[in-house]
């Protein structure tokens, strides 16, 4: 409460690094989030190391797995960086002239890490959608697969995913460009990151915009694939020589559905939370 404490008193009490560290260690959910983020980084690094050690030909599916693993590493890193930043950089009161440089560093670091998390989530969503398209073409149009998903097209598509995600992730920093920044600086002492933090726009909105599109695309794609795979598994529908290819496609489908299902179970709470905030 700003009426009970002056800014100087609040700095002396809450802005102590040791106090914030003890506060974080006393919160079980903070510790769990840190451990999960660390495990996510380690496991995805092992995935990348495994692909390097095996040294198989880099197919379209492997390229998408590498891209998805990198996105998972970014999300896990952003979680850990957020907690470290919360301990090392206190959130100073907006405006004023007290600790102007610290206010700039504190607020900008918070926005950068938050945007980094959004980038990882957007890349995850778009990657899962592309993996669904990859499975769809491989199973529904196997003869056209080498033509439709050539190496250059896949690399260009992955590059576009990352480019779009980075632009959308840091779009929050563009939300204040239309405001009179000199006015806020002169009248209130706000720095640019504080003005960005006070705007109504949030880069998380891009995740909410991409998520429904990707979920609908994946749902449609996997329903079509499931119908075809189930039809081919019926006796007499497919020849004996074609059964190994169908079995391989079925295994790939099951693996991807497990990945998709796990992601939806852990991701939907965040979507619902953001929707509730928007409604409020």
């Amino acid at each position: 409460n700003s009426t009970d404490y002056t800014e100087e008193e609040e700095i002396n009490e809450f802005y102590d690094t040791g106090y914030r560290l003890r506060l974080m260690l006393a919160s079980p959910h903070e510790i769990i989030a840190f451990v999960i983020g660390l495990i996510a980084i380690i496991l995805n690094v092992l995935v990348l190391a495994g692909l390097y050690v095996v040294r198989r030909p880099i197919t379209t599916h492997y390229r998408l797995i590498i891209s998805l693993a990198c996105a998972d590493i970014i999300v896990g890193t952003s979680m850990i960086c957020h907690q470290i930043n919360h301990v090392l950089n206190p959130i100073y009161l907006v405006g004023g002239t007290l600790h102007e440089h610290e206010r700039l560093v504190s607020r900008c670091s918070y926005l950068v890490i938050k945007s980094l998390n959004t980038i990882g989530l957007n890349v995850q969503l778009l990657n899962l959608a592309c993996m669904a398209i990859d499975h769809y073409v491989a199973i529904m149009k196997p003869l056209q697969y080498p033509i439709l998903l050539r190496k250059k097209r896949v690399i260009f598509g992955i590059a576009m995913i990352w480019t779009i995600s980075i632009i959308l992730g840091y779009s929050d920093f563009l939300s204040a460009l239309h405001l009179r920044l000199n006015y806020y600086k002169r009248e209130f002492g706000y720095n640019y990151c504080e003005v960005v933090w006070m705007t109504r726009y949030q880069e998380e909105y891009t995740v909410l915009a991409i998520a429904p599109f990707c979920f609908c695309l994946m749902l449609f794609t996997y329903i079509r694939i499931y119908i075809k795979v189930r039809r081919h598994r019926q006796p007499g529908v497919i020849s004996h020589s074609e059964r190994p290819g169908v079995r391989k496609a079925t295994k790939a489908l099951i693996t991807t559905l497990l990945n998709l299902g796990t992601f939806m179970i852990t991701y939907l709470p965040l979507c619902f939370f953001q929707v509730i905030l928007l409604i409020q």
Side-chain angles (χ1 to χ4, degrees), residues 163-214:
T163 302
I164 294 173
S165 298
I166 291 174
I167 293 174
L168 295 178
Y170 286 104
S171 60
D172 199 4
F173 286 92
L174 305 177
S175 60
L177 292 179
H178 69 286
L179 300 176
R180 295 181 296 170
L181 301 179
N182 292 331
Y183 169 78
Y184 286 99
K185 176 67 176 179
R186 182 178 66 255
E187 297 294 332
F188 305 104
Y190 297 159
N191 57 58
Y192 183 74
C193 288
E194 288 176 339
V195 176
V196 171
W197 179 76
M198 290 186 297
T199 57
R200 291 182 177 272
Y201 176 78
Q202 299 278 338
E203 81 281 347
E204 289 99 331
Y205 297 162
T206 62
V207 179
L208 296 178
I210 293 176
F213 168 76
C214 292

Side-chain angles (χ1 to χ4, degrees), residues 13-253:
E13 178 181 353
F14 183 73
Y15 293 169
D16 178 66
T17 303
Y19 172 78
R20 295 192 305 274
L21 179 60
R22 292 190 298 270
L23 192 65
M24 187 189 73
L25 294 178
S27 303
H29 68 278
E30 295 283 358
I31 299 176
I32 293 174
F34 186 88
V35 172
I36 290 177
L38 189 61
I39 291 175
I41 295 174
I42 294 174
L43 292 181
N44 282 280
V45 168
L46 291 177
V47 169
L48 297 177
L51 293 175
Y52 177 78
V53 171
V54 172
R55 293 184 179 277
R56 291 184 178 180
I58 304 299
T59 62
T60 298
H61 185 66
Y62 281 155
R63 289 188 175 92
L64 293 173
I65 288 179
I66 292 173
S67 178
L68 183 60
C70 292
D72 293 340
I73 292 174
I74 288 178
V75 173
T77 302
S78 67
M79 292 170 57
I80 293 177
C81 289
H82 174 73
Q83 293 178 315
I84 295 176
N85 181 69
H86 185 67
V87 173
L88 299 181
N89 289 322
I91 302 298
Y92 292 93
L93 295 179
V94 177
T97 58
L98 185 61
H99 298 287
E100 183 175 358
H101 176 72
E102 285 79 2
R103 287 193 294 108
L104 178 64
V105 173
S106 176
R107 193 66 63 177
C108 288
S109 61
Y110 172 77
L111 292 174
V112 168
I113 294 173
K114 188 163 67 75
S115 297
L116 188 66
N117 183 265
T118 302
I119 291 173
L121 293 177
N122 283 336
V123 174
Q124 284 179 338
L125 282 170
L126 295 175
N127 251 282
L128 288 173
C130 289
M131 292 176 72
I133 295 175
D134 174 64
H135 281 107
Y136 180 85
V137 176
I139 296 176
M140 306 296 288
K141 301 180 179 180
L143 298 179
Q144 302 179 23
Y145 183 87
I147 300 175
L148 296 176
L149 296 178
R150 293 196 298 266
K151 178 181 177 180
K152 292 183 178 180
R153 287 185 177 179
V154 174
I155 294 177
F156 176 78
I158 294 176
M160 288 299 299
I161 287 175
W162 281 89
T163 302
I164 294 173
S165 298
I166 291 174
I167 293 174
L168 295 178
Y170 286 104
S171 60
D172 199 4
F173 286 92
L174 305 177
S175 60
L177 292 179
H178 69 286
L179 300 176
R180 295 181 296 170
L181 301 179
N182 292 331
Y183 169 78
Y184 286 99
K185 176 67 176 179
R186 182 178 66 255
E187 297 294 332
F188 305 104
Y190 297 159
N191 57 58
Y192 183 74
C193 288
E194 288 176 339
V195 176
V196 171
W197 179 76
M198 290 186 297
T199 57
R200 291 182 177 272
Y201 176 78
Q202 299 278 338
E203 81 281 347
E204 289 99 331
Y205 297 162
T206 62
V207 179
L208 296 178
I210 293 176
F213 168 76
C214 292
F215 284 147
C216 291
L217 175 63
M218 287 184 282
L219 185 62
F220 170 79
T221 300
Y222 286 120
I223 288 177
R224 291 288 305 276
I225 294 175
Y226 175 78
I227 293 174
K228 182 169 184 176
V229 171
R230 184 176 181 179
R231 180 172 62 84
H232 280 193
R233 291 180 65 182
Q234 295 177 358
V237 177
I238 191 169
S239 63
H240 179 73
S241 61
E242 293 176 324
R243 290 188 183 278
V246 175
R247 286 197 295 268
K248 183 178 179 181
T250 304
K251 291 180 180 179
L253 175 62

